[in-house]
């Protein structure tokens, strides 16, 4: 009888131990899966933020190239308005626009938003700090509705048939002068926003690594 009781206790202890081991194994597996998921999410965020940094730095370089050139074009347009013979500066006898006022055209390279659009459409966005996300959102909104919109307006003025008519040339110069004045101001503002965003991204990355 004692042996039977002892055997039953042994089985009970063994069963309890095995059950505890199974539970521990399941919890460990869940923990490891969650840990691996977290590592994967952090890795995705790291890659996404690196891509975004590259995009912002490239856009910053483009803007720093644009600004002095656009300021020069703005000066040329103002000088043309102050000259009585502005017709010889802007148009040939056939009414063709001379690019002496903007010898490099409007822009020589483009600014992009591909990495930002990718980040917005991914789950990674939820892991980005609120301040950084708001800064980026405002930055790219200004880029689209400010600089890019004004540049498109300049291109529209230059391509308009009315702008090539000799009798409209002064009006054309005024429209271009106003647009270039606006885009220079927008570029200065956007440069500051990009610099601010790059600093915030660096801070967030350091905090994530700690």
């Amino acid at each position: 009888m004692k042996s039977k009781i002892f055997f039953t206790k042994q089985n009970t202890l063994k069963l309890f131990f095995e059950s505890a081991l199974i539970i521990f194994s399941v919890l460990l597996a869940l923990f490891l899966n969650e840990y691996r998921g977290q590592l994967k999410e952090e890795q995705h965020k790291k890659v996404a933020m690196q891509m975004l940094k590259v995009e912002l730095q490239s856009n910053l370089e483009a803007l720093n190239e644009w600004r002095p050139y656009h300021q020069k074009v703005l000066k040329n347009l103002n000088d043309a308005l102050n000259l009585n013979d502005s017709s010889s500066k802007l148009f040939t006898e056939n009414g063709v626009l001379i690019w002496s006022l903007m010898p490099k055209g409007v822009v020589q390279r483009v600014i992009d938003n591909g990495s930002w659009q990718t980040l917005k459409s991914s789950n990674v966005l939820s892991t980005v700090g609120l301040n950084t996300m708001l800064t980026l959102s405002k930055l790219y909104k200004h880029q689209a509705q400010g600089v890019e919109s004004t540049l498109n307006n300049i291109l529209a003025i230059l391509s308009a048939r009315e702008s090539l008519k000799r009798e409209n040339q002064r009006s054309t110069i005024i429209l271009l002068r106003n647009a270039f004045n606006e885009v220079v101001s927008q570029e200065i503002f956007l440069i500051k926003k990009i610099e601010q965003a790059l600093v915030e991204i660096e801070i967030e990355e350091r905090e994530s690594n700690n």
Side-chain angles (χ1 to χ4, degrees):
M1 187 72 177
K2 288 184 179 179
S3 173
K4 210 169 187 180
I5 295 173
F6 177 75
F7 183 75
T8 302
K9 287 181 178 178
Q10 275 189 328
N11 285 345
T12 302
L13 290 173
K14 183 180 180 182
L15 182 61
F16 175 79
F17 177 77
E18 290 177 349
S19 299
L21 188 60
I22 291 172
I23 293 172
F24 175 76
S25 299
V26 171
L27 291 175
L28 180 60
L30 291 173
F31 170 78
L32 291 175
N33 285 335
E34 184 177 348
Y35 180 68
R36 281 194 293 265
Q38 185 178 354
L39 287 178
K40 190 174 182 180
E41 186 178 77
E42 290 176 356
Q43 185 62 28
H44 285 171
K45 179 184 178 181
K46 184 176 181 180
V47 172
M49 298 307 285
Q50 284 297 323
M51 290 174 59
L52 190 63
K53 281 172 61 178
V54 170
E55 180 172 276
L56 289 173
Q57 288 165 348
S58 177
N59 289 350
L60 183 61
E61 289 175 6
L63 288 166
N64 281 323
E65 289 177 10
W66 289 359
R67 185 176 63 171
Y69 171 67
H70 289 161
Q71 287 173 327
K72 176 62 177 174
V73 172
L74 179 59
K75 182 180 183 303
N76 291 342
L77 291 166
N78 278 318
D79 290 345
L81 284 172
N82 293 329
L83 292 174
N84 293 327
D85 61 341
S86 61
S87 59
S88 63
K89 294 275 290 181
L90 191 63
F91 288 95
T92 65
E93 292 181 358
N94 296 323
V96 179
L97 181 65
I98 293 178
W99 290 90
S100 59
L101 300 181
M102 48 187 78
K104 297 180 182 179
V106 180
V107 293
Q108 300 75 53
R109 55 189 293 189
V110 297
I111 52 179
D112 198 10
N113 68 349
S115 295
W116 169 241
Q117 293 299 329
T118 301
L119 177 63
K120 284 203 303 180
S121 62
S122 71
N123 296 330
V124 176
L125 186 64
S126 61
T127 66
V128 179
L130 180 60
N131 289 337
T132 303
M133 185 177 66
L134 289 175
T135 297
L136 290 170
S137 180
K138 291 178 181 179
L139 182 160
Y140 279 99
K141 183 177 182 180
H142 180 78
Q143 177 175 304
Q145 298 182 2
V147 173
E148 291 179 335
S149 178
T150 305
L151 289 174
N152 287 332
N153 183 39
I154 291 171
L155 293 173
I157 294 170
L158 292 171
S159 62
R161 181 177 299 179
E162 293 298 316
S163 297
L164 297 179
K165 293 182 178 180
R166 185 177 296 277
E167 61 269 25
N168 296 333
Q169 62 185 312
R170 184 170 179 83
S171 297
T172 298
I173 298 176
I174 291 173
L175 289 173
L176 289 172
R177 188 273 312 274
N178 293 344
F180 271 97
N181 185 60
E182 180 67 18
V183 82
V184 167
S185 298
Q186 291 169 342
E187 286 164 356
I188 293 172
F189 179 80
L190 187 56
I191 285 171
K192 291 180 180 178
K193 285 298 180 182
I194 292 177
E195 291 173 342
Q196 177 188 348
L198 287 170
V199 170
E200 290 186 14
I201 290 173
E202 289 288 346
I203 293 173
E204 183 163 334
E205 286 181 334
R206 286 200 299 268
E207 291 177 348
S208 298
N209 293 331
N210 291 337

